[in-house]
Amino acid sequence: MTTRLDILGGLHEGEIFWRDRYDWLEQRGYTLRVRYKPDWVPSWKGTKKMNLEVEDGLGQMVDQVMDAVRQSEGDVVVLKRVSKTVHPDEALIGQYLSSPPLSDDPQNHCCPILDVLDDPLDAEIHILVMPLLRPYDKPAMDTVGEAVAFFRQAFEGLLFMHKHHVAHRDCMNLNIMMDPHPMYPELYHFIMIDERRDYRGTAAHYSRTRRPCKYYWTDFGLSRRYDPAETNPLEYPILGGDRTVPEFLEDEHIPRNPFHTDVYYLGNLIREDFIQAYSNLTFMHLLVVSMVKKEPDQRPTMEDAVHELDNVLSKLPWWKLRARLRRRRDDGVINFLKDVQHIFRTAFYILMFRPAVPIPSSTPKESDGQRAGTSKGFGALARYLPFRKQSSHPSSR
């Protein structure tokens, strides 16, 4: 057995957890990468290569998650190790949101739980099986319309959770991800996400406008589900990834309504990742200001926020939606070069009838020529989109 004490690039302690369950996972229908086979011998051992030059030399530094191939379909999935003591509700809430009839609702943007496995070596642990997802902003969005599609899905998904009496309680930027299959038909390496799965070159991908993607809220470790009769649930503050919540900073010993805090989290995500990063998203400013108000009870509900978002987006002209996202940090030369490239790309998309706001399929992994329908929440917005006709003609990346 190869550990980091044996060779540079060997397994570290967190990876040993997965190596010790390789055979069991194989029996359950999930195959880990060759690196985690109990009898693994590093492919670079005895050669002049370094570990980072070969695929099996790439270690997983986040111990809680691991990629695998689901043998029944051949799909790449993600396995997540969860403590039943630390996060007792994560699997239950994830399965609740992933089960019919909720899973059939196109407004559901919650990461599906495909399976829950009881760990054979530690009764305190279970392993969640989820589809492969990718950070929502990698690669970066190109157009205002692509950002609008993200806003609508993020708002719609959080409203869906609230309508079903679930507060996320940690809905920050690391916990919203995208289904990569439309943009990355050949996928990519789980560790080096800009590389091919075989680690032999850059992973090719399409733009969001060319291949619309669906976004998912993930990580329900801090989430809570409430009784519908409980109209004002209160919870003591629990710190997630966003440490800027005003009511938590004011007094962390006072119970707060977690639904109000969710609204702040989402508003702050849009503020920090979009409004502060790009100069041409000012149309979101007033809505975001209302969502991040210091007094929690002065913030809109998610239902009100979605209604206002639809109102704001419905007033955007098509040319605004087609515009390139303009980074505040870019200088005049960089903007000029990007503008020239954007003009040609936009002309191509218009000729190919690509909508300014890319509307994803309701079904993960459908190609853009096989869409069964669109989310109901996009109905009002779609009226304002030029060139809504879908084409099966292949477009440029």
Side-chain angles (χ1 to χ4, degrees), residues 164-223:
H164 291 89
H165 314 289
V166 176
H168 190 289
R169 304 179 74 203
D170 193 19
C171 41
M172 41 83 74
N173 56 7
L174 295 181
N175 289 336
I176 186 165
M177 306 184 77
M178 69 178 183
D179 174 14
H181 293 84
M183 291 178 63
Y184 290 82
E186 302 300 324
L187 297 183
Y188 47 87
H189 198 279
F190 185 66
I191 306 301
M192 304 293 287
I193 64 173
D194 292 326
E195 300 293 319
R196 288 166 35 177
R197 285 186 65 193
D198 61 7
Y199 198 49
R200 294 182 178 178
T202 303
H205 67 86
Y206 296 87
S207 70
R208 291 170 176 80
T209 300
R210 171 65 176 91
R211 294 281 184 90
C213 60
K214 185 170 182 177
Y215 298 95
Y216 290 92
W217 287 109
T218 68
D219 193 352
F220 307 115
L222 301 182
S223 302

Side-chain angles (χ1 to χ4, degrees), residues 115-160:
D115 201 356
V116 178
L117 310 175
D118 291 320
D119 189 89
L121 304 179
D122 188 341
E124 202 269 333
I125 291 175
H126 50 204
I127 296 174
L128 309 185
V129 182
M130 302 170 289
L132 175 69
L133 299 178
R134 185 178 177 92
Y136 87 88
D137 57 349
K138 298 186 184 307
M141 298 174 193
D142 293 326
T143 68
V144 172
E146 291 179 358
V148 163
F150 172 80
F151 298 156
R152 194 54 178 77
Q153 292 188 53
F155 277 63
E156 182 179 71
L158 193 55
L159 173 60
F160 176 87

Side-chain angles (χ1 to χ4, degrees), residues 275-288:
I275 295 177
Q276 293 178 359
Y278 301 101
S279 62
N280 54 342
L281 295 175
T282 54
F283 56 85
M284 291 292 293
H285 177 73
L286 292 179
L287 174 56
V288 167

